[in-house]
């Protein structure tokens, strides 16, 4: 039995019918076509599907879509505003923090949550905030650098 | 002066990746697309008695069910005589997770439900799960035609190593063993296939579209021109996506059967347990030196556990020997690699596969240095290969700045203030490394490229180059824009598509910069020459007196005399000579059989046309109460010739560092007694996180390779990080590591045994 789901995604009101067992990740990717949110593990261990739910970073593979009812979801597609890149996106690009790019959306979202709460984090605070987002390409070096650069540009 | 070559410019592909719009295969949705799932073997070794798919076929929403009976029953392998892996098992299954049947349905849920309705009757056979057991007379045979389960052998030899060992002043004998680890790309594996109008389109994350197409052609029975392997963004490869997997064949067959597009997305579990692992291995090493610290003899026996199928195990068997012989000079050298079949997940090449061996050679050098009272830096300087030296396998090393890399690493890391002066539990260590660049492998062709100009003076580059995530595409933009006097956004790239692009070897075993980069350079230079010829007619001067830069052609002697590029391109079209550049590059095979006599398992001849080198220093903090190792800092210096994009090269050095740290300290596949992988998820298979990785100082020499494009060589698993970490642990604790990963429990035990 499908159920009604109303939520805000990247600032837009969305109404749709979903099966109760669907995760937020599945609804974002399969129903709304927001494939920037990646699927890397299905058991809340890689961080590639991280989105902001009412400003808090959550793993969208680990949340039922219906639990997001009435809430505000931000995915990587919603980071840039009016054609302007978010400072984190800009820093990731300029610092070479993106290689294969599969972990990038989740990294950006986790980093955004950090900077929203703590605009001037220490290196250790950055590392702690991103420790749930796995990356196999960068050794994290340029990602940490990029988040620090973005925090200074704010 | 170049505009883009040699500059740390941001990668062109990073914008779509930052926006979340870059499409990976799993992000694709085609009209009427079906979803496929695979039924896998629960047994490590069993005979398939019967398969009944009738109930599965009747489930509403199921569109097709296939087994080996729906295939040509051909096997995959790198070379015809080495083909051993069926795409859907027939007769036997050889590891837990092997593909037995597949379903295409309207949804993944229906496909999953259908798998449960397929009845397979197995007759379980005794399995062999250990390479030593596998070699014993009377052990179960993984493949009926392979006696004692020897999958492949490879050797390199120079001089009489046994005799030389007897004459050395000092001899050491060490062993190192490592269990299977994984490439563990963050993107799970899979494929989308669409069969339409007699042609099969395939999207899948792979390191070599042309090799993939050849395999698909053989396995599915379509000619090459009816198979199109297409570009998609790829979520990492690291050597684990260079050969062909059942996913793309199964998706292709199901699409042919249903006349609808089919997507198959592996779960994380399937990606770990049913694609490829890194080889487990044991290396037995005897090293002999004289009192002056010079290396006289090196005898290495490697036993690699390859799992159920050969995969790219041919290269993996020889690579460890090659990794050592081109790094340190030993007049007497012998490497013998033996790869064994067992009933486990197949093992393939891995970017840092030679880590355990190279690391242990580095450790033994430090042990000798201590014994002889020689500084570890000096120990290396006395033994490294250099420019114009010849390796034991007969390769000539052309450009080599290893000595300079070592000196710079020592300087930048502050080695002299730290070595021997650190408090208990703290350690510092160094290591070196090299990798072959652009080597033809004996099986692959060169790369070709086209450059075409559009009427508005923008250009399109057509190259088979594939980007697994390391930045290869950007390399082509930089080269073409520079040669053609264009800005980056005036260049478009069509790539990694077997229908649209000319032949390319693929991006595995370090070849993209050297081979594909050279092809694009030649194609761009050809187009540039054509433009200069047209301009010379317009300006009534010789083409040789002209130069092209920043959208204009001008007289070298009088740069104010110039014509805008747009006018020249328009004139070229009007005259019926539209600029169409082409270029082909293939490294010269310097011995008749290339680099190897595969039939005889002997490696001899030019391995790589050139080599990349590096040195690393690691600083560690060992908790003497728990055995936990924390790497505090890595300092790396590499010689990659002239780096075309230093920032991208640094990114690859840091990537390599992360893989090495994981392999040395964390990553470990475990199996139960039935051959089932216990570590098939990211909660049990531990990758390094941002808290495990230290700050990395990655530095580059300003080198120049005579044959590389603009003097560049490929970046590779070059940096010596494994040796640096293991020597830093030795420095901190005195423990001689003999197994990977170095877990806190094993290190603590070893620390306690010493005190």
């Amino acid at each position: 039995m499908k159920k009604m789901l109303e939520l805000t995604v990247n600032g837009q009101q969305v109404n749709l019918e979903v099966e109760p067992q669907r995760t937020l990740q599945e609804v974002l990717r399969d129903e709304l076509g927001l494939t920037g949110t990646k699927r890397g593990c299905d058991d809340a261990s890689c961080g590639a599907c991280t989105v902001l739910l009412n400003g808090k970073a959550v793993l969208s593979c680990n949340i039922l879509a219906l639990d997001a009812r009435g809430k505000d979801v931000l995915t990587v597609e919603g980071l840039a505003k009016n054609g302007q890149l978010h400072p984190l996106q800009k820093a990731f690009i300029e610092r070479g923090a993106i290689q294969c790019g599969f972990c990038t959306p989740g990294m950006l979202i986790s980093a955004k949550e950090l900077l929203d709460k703590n605009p001037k984090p220490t290196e250790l605070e950055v590392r702690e905030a991103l420790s749930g987002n796995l990356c196999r390409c960068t050794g994290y070096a340029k990602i940490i650098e990029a988040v620090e650069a973005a925090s200074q540009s704010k | 002066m170049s505009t883009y070559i040699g500059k740390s410019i941001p990668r062109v592909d990073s914008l779509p990746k930052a926006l979340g719009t870059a499409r990976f295969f799993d992000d694709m949705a085609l009209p009427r697309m079906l979803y496929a799932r695979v039924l896998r073997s629960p047994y490590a070794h069993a005979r398939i008695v019967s398969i009944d798919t009738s109930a599965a076929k009747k489930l509403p929403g199921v569109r097709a069910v296939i087994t080996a009976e729906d295939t040509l029953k051909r096997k995959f392998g790198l070379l015809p005589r080495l083909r051993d892996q069926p795409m859907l098992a027939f007769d036997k299954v050889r590891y837990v997770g092997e593909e037995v049947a597949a379903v295409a349905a309207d949804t993944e849920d229906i496909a999953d439900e259908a798998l449960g309705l397929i009845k397979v009757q197995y007759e379980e056979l005794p399995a062999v799960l250990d390479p030593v057991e596998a070699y014993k007379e009377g052990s179960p045979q993984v493949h009926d035609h392979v006696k004692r389960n020897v999958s492949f052998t490879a050797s390199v030899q120079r001089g009489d190593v046994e005799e030389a060992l007897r004459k050395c002043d000092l001899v050491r004998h060490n062993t190192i063993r490592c269990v299977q680890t994984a490439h563990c790309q963050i993107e799970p594996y899979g494929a989308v296939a669409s069969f339409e109008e007699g042609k099969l389109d395939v999207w899948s994350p792979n390191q070599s579209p042309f090799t993939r197409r050849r395999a698909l052609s053989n396995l599915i029975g379509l000619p090459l021109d009816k198979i199109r392997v297409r570009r998609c963004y790829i979520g990492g490869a690291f050597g684990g996506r260079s050969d062909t997997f059942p996913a793309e064949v199964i998706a292709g067959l199901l699409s042919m059967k249903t006349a609808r597009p089919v997507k198959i997305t592996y779960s994380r579990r399937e990606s770990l347990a049913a694609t490829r692992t890194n080889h487990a291995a044991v290396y037995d090493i005897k090293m002999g030196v004289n009192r002056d610290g010079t290396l006289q003899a090196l005898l290495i026996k490697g036993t690699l556990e390859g799992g159920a199928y050969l995969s790219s195990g041919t290269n993996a068997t020889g690579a460890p020997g090659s990794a050592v012989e081109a790094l340190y000079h030993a007049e007497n050298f012998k490497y013998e690699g033996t790869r064994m079949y067992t009933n486990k997940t197949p093992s393939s090449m891995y970017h840092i596969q030679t880590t355990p061996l190279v690391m242990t050679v580095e450790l033994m050098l430090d042990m000798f240095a201590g014994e002889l009272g020689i500084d570890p830096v000096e120990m290396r300087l006395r033994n490294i290969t250099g420019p114009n030296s010849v390796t034991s396998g007969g390769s000539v090393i052309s450009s080599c700045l290893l000595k300079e890399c070592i000196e710079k690493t020592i300087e930048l890391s502050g080695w002299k203030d730290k070595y021997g002066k650190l408090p208990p539990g703290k350690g510092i260590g160094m290591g070196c490394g090299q990798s072959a660049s652009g080597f033809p492998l004996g099986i692959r062709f060169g790369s070709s490229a086209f450059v075409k100009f559009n009427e508005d003076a923008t250009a399109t580059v057509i190259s088979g180059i594939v980007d697994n995530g390391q930045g290869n595409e950007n390399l082509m933009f930089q080269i073409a824009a520079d040669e053609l006097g264009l800005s980056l956004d005036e260049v478009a790239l069509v790539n990694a598509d077997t229908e649209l692009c000319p032949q390319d070897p693929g991006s595995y075993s370090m070849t993209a910069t050297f081979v594909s980069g050279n092809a694009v350079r030649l194609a761009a230079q050809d187009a540039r020459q054509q433009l200069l010829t047209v301009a010379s007619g317009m300006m009534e001067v010789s083409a040789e007196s002209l130069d092209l830069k920043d959208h204009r052609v001008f007289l070298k002697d009088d740069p104010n005399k110039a014509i805008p590029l747009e006018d020249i391109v328009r004139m070229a079209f009007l005259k019926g000579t539209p600029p169409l550049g082409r270029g082909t590059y293939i490294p010269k095979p310097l011995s008749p059989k290339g680099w190897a006599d595969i039939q005889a398992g002997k490696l001899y001849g030019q391995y790589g046309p050139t080599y990349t080198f590096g040195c690393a220093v690691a600083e560690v903090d060992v908790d003497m109460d728990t055995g936990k190792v924390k790497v505090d800092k890595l300092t790396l210096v590499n010689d990659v010739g002239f780096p075309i994009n230093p920032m991208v090269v640094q990114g690859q050095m840091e990537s390599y560092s992360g893989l090495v740290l994981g392999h040395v300290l964390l990553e470990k596949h475990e199996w139960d007694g039935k051959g089932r992988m216990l570590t098939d998820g990211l909660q049990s298979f531990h990758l390094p996180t941002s808290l495990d990785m230290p700050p990395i100082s990655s530095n580059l020499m300003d080198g120049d390779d005579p044959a590389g494009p603009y003097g560049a060589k490929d970046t590779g698993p070059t940096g010596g990080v494994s040796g640096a970490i293991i020597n830093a642990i030795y420095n901190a604790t005195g423990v001689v590591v003999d197994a990977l990963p170095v877990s806190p429990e094993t290190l603590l035990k070893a620390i306690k045994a010493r005190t």
Side-chain angles (χ1 to χ4, degrees), chain A residues 19 21-22 26 29-30 33-48 75-80 84-86 88-90 92-105 107-108 123-145, chain B residues 8 10-11 13-15 17-24 26-28 37 107-109 182-188 233-236 238 263 265-269 350 467-471 647-648 650-652 654-659 662 667 681-683 685 687-696 698:
Chain A
E19 291 168 331
Q21 75 273 25
R22 292 289 156 224
E26 288 172 315
R29 287 179 57 82
D30 304 339
L34 295 170
T35 53
T37 298
K38 299 299 177 203
R39 173 174 149 182
C41 68
D42 299 322
D43 66 355
S45 57
C46 78
T75 71
V76 68
E77 289 93 342
L79 277 178
Q84 290 291 307
L85 291 177
H86 187 278
L88 277 164
Q89 289 172 311
K90 209 161 165 284
F92 269 56
I93 292 169
E94 284 170 0
R95 301 272 165 164
I98 302 173
Q99 292 204 34
C100 85
F102 200 81
C103 76
T104 304
M107 283 287 181
L108 285 168
E123 185 197 323
L124 182 63
E125 285 169 337
V126 176
R127 288 186 182 273
E128 278 170 351
L130 300 183
S131 62
N133 293 79
L134 295 175
C135 169
R136 198 63 164 158
C137 295
T138 64
Y140 305 99
K142 299 210 184 302
I143 292 176
I144 306 295
E145 241 179 69
Chain B
S8 286
R11 284 166 51 171
D13 58 321
S14 55
L15 180 62
K17 287 172 178 176
L19 291 170
T21 54
R23 280 193 190 278
F24 296 76
D26 192 35
D27 301 334
M28 292 178 53
R37 299 287 291 148
T107 67
E108 266 195 337
D109 288 351
H183 316 75
C184 204
Q185 310 86 351
I186 304 297
E187 178 197 30
Y233 283 99
I234 298 173
F238 317 113
K263 175 154 80 177
T265 307
Y266 281 10
S267 64
R268 171 56 53 191
R269 216 179 146 196
Y350 179 35
D467 194 328
N468 311 316
Q470 69 273 71
M647 182 170 77
V648 169
Q650 285 173 338
Q652 292 188 38
E654 289 152 8
S655 163
Y656 148 85
S657 301
L659 296 176
E667 295 166 24
L682 296 172
Q683 317 225 7
F685 186 83
L687 301 184
T689 70
S690 50
L691 288 169
D692 297 307
M693 288 305 296
I696 305 168
S698 30

Side-chain angles (χ1 to χ4, degrees), chain A residues 47-125:
Chain A
C49 70
T50 309
V51 299
L52 290 187
L53 192 63
N54 284 353
K56 191 176 176 314
V58 297
L59 297 169
S60 61
C61 75
N62 209 23
I63 284 190
L64 290 173
L66 291 175
D67 285 341
R69 184 180 278 153
K71 291 184 179 164
D72 195 354
V73 177
L74 184 85
T75 71
V76 68
E77 289 93 342
L79 277 178
K81 293 263 182 325
N82 309 319
Q84 290 291 307
L85 291 177
H86 187 278
L88 277 164
Q89 289 172 311
K90 209 161 165 284
F92 269 56
I93 292 169
E94 284 170 0
R95 301 272 165 164
I98 302 173
Q99 292 204 34
C100 85
F102 200 81
C103 76
T104 304
M107 283 287 181
L108 285 168
I109 295 290
S110 291
K112 180 175 176 358
E113 187 203 33
L114 170 70
L115 295 192
D116 286 350
K117 284 195 301 209
N118 179 1
K120 302 278 177 213
T122 63
E123 185 197 323
L124 182 63
E125 285 169 337

Side-chain angles (χ1 to χ4, degrees), chain B residues 306-585:
Chain B
Y309 297 108
L310 181 59
S311 178
S312 48
T314 43
N315 310 332
T317 310
S322 304
V324 175
E325 52 128 21
L327 182 59
Y328 291 110
H329 182 86
E331 208 46 49
N332 302 282
F333 181 90
K334 191 170 174 184
Y335 168 80
E336 288 178 323
T338 306
R339 185 182 190 272
M340 302 300 298
Y341 284 124
T342 57
N343 291 112
K344 290 188 195 162
T345 308
S347 301
S348 72
M349 272 301 278
Y350 179 35
H351 191 59
I352 57 156
Q353 187 230 342
T354 62
T355 290
L357 175 59
V358 175
M359 172 192 99
T360 307
V361 166
E362 292 288 346
L363 178 59
M364 292 168 82
L365 285 175
D366 265 26
M367 294 171 78
F368 275 130
E371 198 173 347
L372 293 166
I374 298 172
D375 182 72
V377 182
E378 186 53 37
M379 189 74 192
R380 282 169 180 80
L381 293 176
R382 286 182 196 177
N383 291 299
I384 51 171
T385 48
N388 307 315
S389 56
V390 180
T391 72
S392 300
S395 288
V396 178
I397 290 172
S398 51
S399 68
C400 172
L401 296 176
L402 180 53
K403 178 171 173 283
E404 291 80 358
C405 285
I406 292 173
E407 288 163 351
K408 196 167 173 189
T409 314
I410 294 307
E411 180 201 322
L412 292 174
S413 63
W415 171 275
K416 286 183 179 151
D417 298 327
K418 295 172 185 165
Y419 185 73
K421 296 167 189 164
L422 298 173
K426 294 252 185 193
I428 186 166
M430 68 178 296
C432 297
Q434 65 76 27
S435 68
S437 175
F439 88 113
L441 272 164
I443 54 166
R444 56 185 177 190
F445 303 127
S447 179
S448 298
F450 296 123
V451 169
K452 64 167 185 171
F453 263 89
N454 306 303
E455 311 90 281
D456 62 353
T458 59
T460 303
V461 177
I462 305 165
S463 155
I465 183 77
V466 55
D467 194 328
N468 311 316
Q470 69 273 71
N472 293 335
E473 288 179 0
N474 198 68
L475 199 63
M476 306 306 146
F477 279 94
Q478 285 182 258
I479 292 173
D482 232 47
E483 292 290 346
L484 300 170
L486 299 173
S487 55
L488 285 177
D489 60 6
E490 291 165 324
V491 175
L493 177 67
V494 174
N495 68 305
D497 185 316
T498 58
E499 183 160 282
L500 303 180
C501 305
Q503 185 75 225
D504 183 83
S507 296
Y508 60 100
S509 296
M510 274 54 74
T511 187
T513 304
F514 196 84
V515 179
S516 313
N518 256 327
V520 168
R521 178 183 63 89
L522 292 169
Q525 286 174 346
D526 184 19
R528 173 193 171 91
Q529 198 52 46
Q530 293 171 31
L531 291 167
L532 294 182
T533 304
V534 172
S536 81
M538 293 165 76
M539 295 171 84
E540 295 180 339
V541 293
S542 72
E544 290 70 41
S545 64
L546 295 171
D547 200 357
L548 162 62
K549 206 172 158 34
D550 292 339
H551 309 91
R552 55 203 276 278
V553 170
F554 54 91
L555 265 177
K556 283 178 194 165
D557 291 342
D558 185 1
N560 288 326
K561 288 207 171 122
I563 311 184
L565 187 60
E566 269 186 72
D567 296 357
I568 299 164
V569 171
R570 199 173 303 122
M571 179 60 78
F573 275 98
L574 285 171
K575 286 177 64 177
T577 55
L580 294 168
R582 57 187 282 180
T584 292
Y585 188 83

Side-chain angles (χ1 to χ4, degrees), chain B residues 659-679:
Chain B
L659 296 176
V660 169
L661 188 140
H663 191 7
V664 172
L665 298 178
L666 297 168
E667 295 166 24
K668 179 184 184 181
H669 268 321
E670 292 178 89
W671 315 77
D672 72 4
K674 290 287 209 177
R676 289 175 291 215
M677 186 187 277
L678 299 172
T679 44

